[in-house]
Amino acid sequence: MEARAYLKNARIAPRKVQIVLDLIRGKDVETAMAILQHTPKSACEYLEKLLKSAVANAENNFGMDRDNLYVSECFVCPGPIMKRIMPRAQGRAFRILKRTSHVTLAVKEKE
């Protein structure tokens, strides 16, 4: 049995989130939380809250023990892209792509 938590339309690029997800994949919950709290990346704020949500789902919905949980699966998918225009020299306009992310994080109990 695994408990999942989802984060939709996070205003951060998926490639920035992927770097931090690689750090916590397969780690137990306490270690993953410590890594997120001490890593100076902007994605850590989103992922720390998401990990707490997944752990709460595991405890409240499935009756799992917090001490035996680990991050079994975590991945990020690109969300909708907001397109903006930046004025440039001589009347030109460049497009700016503001990327968003959909993050999924699952925790599972150790056997």
Side-chain angles (χ1 to χ4, degrees), residues 12-27 32 35-48 71 74 76 103 105:
I12 186 167
R15 61 190 294 177
K16 294 180 182 180
V17 178
Q18 187 65 46
I19 292 169
V20 182
L21 286 179
D22 290 340
L23 294 175
I24 65 169
R25 188 176 292 112
K27 304 277 195 302
I35 290 170
L36 291 176
Q37 289 171 348
H38 294 94
T39 303
K41 293 280 188 185
S42 59
C44 289
E45 295 175 28
Y46 293 106
L47 295 178
E48 186 178 344
V71 180
C74 55
V76 60
V103 186
L105 195 142

Side-chain angles (χ1 to χ4, degrees), residues 10 13 19 23-24 38 43 53 71 83 91 93 97 109-111:
I19 292 169
L23 294 175
I24 65 169
H38 294 94
S53 177
V71 180
K83 295 170 179 79
L97 302 177
E109 261 187 324
K110 295 177 193 164
E111 282 80 30

Side-chain angles (χ1 to χ4, degrees), residues 5-12 46-47 50 101-105:
Y6 302 97
L7 173 63
K8 301 283 187 174
N9 299 319
R11 241 322 264 123
I12 186 167
Y46 293 106
L47 295 178
L50 189 64
S101 303
H102 297 323
V103 186
T104 303
L105 195 142

